[in-house]
Amino acid sequence: MCATCGCDSEAKISIHRIDQPTSLNLGDITFTPVEPKTTTLPNGRKQIDLEQDILLKNNLRAERNRGYFLAKNIVALNLVSSPGSGKTSLLEKTLHDLKTEESFFVIEGDQQTSNDADRIAATQVPVVQINTGKGCHLDSKMIWDAIQQLRPSENSILFIENIGNLVCPAMFDLGEQKRVVIISVTEGDDKPLKYPDMFQSSQLCIINKIDLLPYVKFDVEKAKNYARRINPTIQFIELSCTSGEGFDHWYDWLKKETIEVPVPV
Amino acid sequence: MHELSIVMSIVETAEEKVKEHHASSVESIDLVIGDLAGVDSQALDFAWDSAVKNTVLQKAIRNVIQVPARAKCLECDCEFGIKEIYDSCPLCGEPLLLIIQGKELQIKSMILN
Ligand SMILES: Nc1nc2c(ncn2[C@@H]2O[C@H](COP(=O)(O)OP(=O)(O)OP(=O)(O)O)[C@@H](O)[C@H]2O)c(=O)[nH]1
Ligand SMILES: [Mg+2]
Ligand SMILES: [Zn+2]
Ligand SMILES: [Zn+2]
Ligand SMILES: [Zn+2]
């Protein structure tokens, strides 16, 4: 279906909390836009000049999520990468190291299985699994449904691990505060040029698996320059989930996000 | 399948409009899609055929207005057509561009009957 991943969404989407489920029923968004111009044509036909963004609903639901997070002072971070770049490994180590200092919640997106959510649940952090079936990205409605089960507490950090895919998730705002794109040094250093939308819409780029740098042909500076060409303000952190190198920078960045109290505009 | 998600959003909106206007189906629909909107037209065709089955869009004629991408250089202010987000300014060579056209993803209008 999708040119990139061949997915389709005929399969069922399931969302469930890994430990004890709780449910809040908050209903879906209702929205009445400005009435579009309507012209009556012969034979009772009608022309409607809608001029409406196709992703309007997703964007509105995302803004509602964002408002919910702002009100509860929750830092919501959307982690995106190619399959296997290290999203879950980054979360596991972060939760392990910081869970006594900060309160964390996790939403895990995967097409199939709850393997990643089980890895998170092992750290004792509350986690909801979203299985998208063949769908290749999370959307803001799934996040809304997931937070009704997860009920993240005030002043917490909510990590959302998106589906491993650098194309489709770029188009779908989830209501996150920051988008974090992860690339690993076992991928090509031209990733930013191949997936410009994702690098343009992210605020932080984590370069993972730097323990493997001696063995691979990955030019860190080149990758950064490509990313800056697309997004001049993007920040970088180089780290290794295996050796722990660079995690101090990541933790500093995270702490800064939680201190900078967001002010609604 | 963001193309499928996109078609499903269009179906959702079309179903709403048909209901609201007590119409029976959509005769034609005009979409505006920018060259940099991230939509693959072949994937969209494919997604369309499967997603509009048994909906008010099943028999609709779909017109796509493709919008070429344009940018403005943040250094020298000139405007020009681009192929990729990361193209540089043809005049001064700077890569800092403001995309002014080409990201559109819109339902422009539809005719209901
Ligand atoms: N050498 C090395 N391997 C790593 C590092 N980080 C992750 N890995 C390995 O890379 C593989 C994929 O890691 P995951 O954390 O599962 O990646 P992911 O992005 O969550 O993958 P998906 O959810 O499938 O998209 C695992 O085998 C990890 O052990 C690292 O810093 N160095
Ligand atoms: Mg994972
Ligand atoms: Zn896809
Ligand atoms: Zn897609
Ligand atoms: Zn210029």
Side-chain angles (χ1 to χ4, degrees), chain A residues 87-88 108 110 116 119 161:
Chain A
K87 300 178 292 299
T88 312
E108 270 295 331
D110 285 288
D116 286 0
R119 283 164 65 187
E161 178 176 338

Side-chain angles (χ1 to χ4, degrees), chain B residues 19-43:
Chain B
K19 200 169 157 206
E20 192 182 312
H21 290 274
H22 311 289
S24 59
S25 62
V26 179
E27 180 181 296
S28 68
I29 183 163
D30 289 2
L31 308 175
V32 180
I33 300 180
D35 281 350
L36 294 182
V39 175
D40 181 277
S41 58
Q42 258 179 309

